Amino acid sequence: MSIGPSRSVQVTVRPDTYNDPLLLAHGAPTAVTRASNLLLFGDDGWFAGVDLPGGRGEYTVNASILRPFEEEAITGNMLRAASEDYPEDAATRYTDVPEGAIGPDARVLLAALLEASPSADPYDLAVTMQAYLSSDRFRYTTDLTGVECDDPSAVECFARTRQGYCLHYASTMAILLRAANPDNPIPTRLVQGFLPGDRSGATETVRNKGAHAWVEVYFPDYGWIPFDPTGGGVVRP
């Protein structure tokens, strides 16, 4: 079923070697058939996740999935035209740039990204960063043996060495997007989940090795839109 820019899905999850108690869902969960604990963050009790106590076991979950870039759903032009008047909660929680996160190499990288973008619009900046970071200017590798960087900032180290895996790419993009417009920072967050698995009929097998990290950018009236700077393709939380 499709409702505006989102659609509802229902999936049955059968964990095998996945031992984390966190709920697995294709998108934002709305209902689950097992007893669950809602995980909240901060004094205001913001949604952080869902925990399933009692060990592994099959369950069915309903979830709402945004439909970015599908025909008659969310398009690039719609996001480009979206307001930049961010709600206070998103601006407060998802725009901070920690002290020391951006060093000299990260500043050079940010300047190159700003120059490459056709405009300062958040959508144009996100698309530009996604394409730039997934280009051959950077090397995707999970083996960082021998890659030396004495800076405590993962963003600065990635900008300096230009090597890393999905977590480094996504962390860098998230922080640089937040820093791209100091006068009105873009709410951006790092998300971890899994890449699509192997599908056979109505069954999809998702393996632990498919764990992945990507970026979500907040657009008023549309919500959190995913971008993947490693070029991994469609991502699913």
Side-chain angles (χ1 to χ4, degrees):
M1 179 177 65
S2 297
I3 304 175
S6 66
R7 61 188 175 95
S8 298
V9 297
Q10 182 181 82
V11 297
T12 297
V13 180
R14 301 180 179 91
D16 184 9
T17 58
Y18 178 80
N19 297 313
D20 196 303
L22 286 175
L23 171 78
L24 296 175
H26 283 50
T30 57
V32 63
T33 56
R34 276 184 53 187
S36 58
N37 296 323
L38 183 63
L39 305 179
L40 304 177
F41 173 80
D43 295 337
D44 296 326
W46 297 98
F47 174 77
V50 178
D51 180 63
L52 298 176
R56 296 201 308 262
E58 178 180 311
Y59 56 90
T60 297
V61 58
N62 294 346
S64 178
I65 303 178
L66 282 172
R67 302 186 298 142
F69 318 122
E70 294 181 19
E71 186 177 356
E72 297 181 357
I74 301 175
T75 67
N77 284 336
M78 292 166 68
L79 296 178
R80 191 175 286 112
S83 169
E84 294 179 41
D85 184 13
Y86 302 114
E88 184 178 355
D89 57 343
T92 299
R93 295 184 176 276
Y94 298 106
T95 60
D96 181 52
V97 177
E99 184 177 355
I102 298 180
D105 290 284
R107 282 193 289 271
V108 169
L109 175 57
L110 177 57
L113 292 166
L114 292 173
E115 184 177 359
S117 180
S119 79
D121 177 82
Y123 175 73
D124 284 337
L125 286 170
V127 170
T128 298
M129 288 192 186
Q130 178 178 250
Y132 196 99
L133 293 176
S134 63
S135 72
D136 59 9
R137 298 176 179 89
F138 299 85
R139 186 171 78 92
Y140 186 97
T141 178
T142 57
D143 182 7
L144 297 178
T145 304
V147 178
E148 297 183 2
C149 180
D150 58 1
D151 197 287
S153 167
V155 174
E156 178 65 12
C157 283
F158 181 73
R160 183 177 304 168
T161 66
R162 303 206 164 200
Q163 298 182 68
Y165 48 90
C166 57
L167 194 60
H168 301 102
Y169 281 75
S171 297
T172 298
M173 180 172 172
I175 289 297
L176 294 186
L177 266 177
R178 291 182 178 189
N181 182 5
D183 294 329
N184 187 27
I186 302 167
T188 310
R189 67 186 184 185
L190 174 74
V191 180
Q192 291 181 280
F194 292 88
L195 287 167
D198 301 320
R199 181 166 294 181
S200 177
T203 300
E204 182 172 353
T205 301
V206 179
R207 295 177 172 82
N208 288 331
K209 66 180 182 180
H212 194 51
W214 62 95
V215 173
E216 288 184 348
V217 181
Y218 187 83
F219 292 86
D221 297 326
Y222 299 102
W224 293 100
I225 302 297
F227 294 87
D228 188 352
T230 61
V234 177
V235 289
R236 297 175 182 172

